[in-house]
Amino acid sequence: MHRLFGTGKMMWRYSGWNPFATEELATESLREALAAYEDPHFYAWIAEHDGAVVGTVSAYDYQSESKSAELGISVAHSFWHQGFAGEALLRMVAYLMDEERLASVSVWCAEDNVASRKALEHAGLTLRSTDPGGLEVDGHLYNRQNFLLTAAEWQAMPIHQ
């Protein structure tokens, strides 16, 4: 069995939600994600590397009338800044667009969270709007950046050429 957390050092200053804060919480979060597989419009993947859990990527809040969903990703601290988030998001987007035929996917992040922004852009999402002070986490206000990718934009990306 691989340990999920080597040092226990976690910094989740931009989301306020940390499914990997403790091994117990991570186990429960993964259990909930697996249970959600009963919903045909909930998508959650566990990302791993060399047998260790890196994090999770999911699509939720599926809207049947617009065929859209919101994306979320969490990566354990020991795997930050290694490209795992961008690659996991890209694979999730590819699946949702190519297999599930969604019309769009969206995601948000704090403006200060440069690493998340890079991961979102790697997956093809583009910044559509910024809500000044639109995100409060632990009493801190951040500008919330809203990203979107449409099916037409996905098809026009160079990977499809």
Side-chain angles (χ1 to χ4, degrees):
M1 172 123 190
H2 296 278
R3 286 195 48 79
L4 299 177
F5 316 99
T7 64
K9 293 180 186 176
M10 299 291 167
M11 186 176 96
W12 304 95
R13 77 184 226 216
Y14 297 116
S15 71
W17 174 70
N18 178 2
F20 297 107
T22 66
E23 211 159 328
E24 294 77 23
L25 187 54
T27 299
E28 181 59 26
S29 296
L30 295 175
R31 186 176 294 119
E32 288 174 9
L34 290 172
Y37 271 75
E38 297 300 317
D39 177 351
H41 296 294
F42 177 81
Y43 310 92
W45 293 348
I46 299 168
E48 71 153 356
H49 178 69
D50 290 338
V53 173
V54 170
T56 60
V57 61
S58 61
Y60 52 91
D61 290 340
Y62 176 78
Q63 303 296 312
S64 59
E65 56 285 344
S66 61
K67 292 198 68 166
S68 64
E70 188 170 338
L71 304 177
I73 189 157
S74 293
V75 175
H77 183 265
S78 58
F79 293 100
W80 285 5
H81 307 294
Q82 297 177 49
F84 290 111
E87 187 61 27
L89 284 166
L90 182 60
R91 291 181 186 201
M92 175 63 82
V93 167
Y95 176 78
L96 294 171
M97 293 295 186
D98 295 339
E99 303 299 324
E100 297 295 319
R101 303 287 188 218
L102 265 61
S104 67
V105 292
S106 63
V107 66
W108 56 265
C109 73
E111 185 175 50
D112 296 5
N113 193 342
V114 176
S116 284
R117 182 178 177 144
K118 287 180 181 179
L120 298 174
E121 291 170 345
H122 176 78
L125 288 108
T126 57
L127 178 64
R128 301 303 171 103
S129 65
T130 301
D131 302 325
L135 179 60
E136 182 178 350
V137 179
D138 295 331
H140 299 285
L141 286 178
Y142 299 95
N143 294 339
R144 176 180 154 150
Q145 294 189 315
N146 304 297
F147 290 77
L148 182 74
L149 176 66
T150 66
E153 292 166 338
W154 172 252
Q155 290 302 317
M157 287 178 62
I159 62 172
H160 297 286
Q161 308 305 314

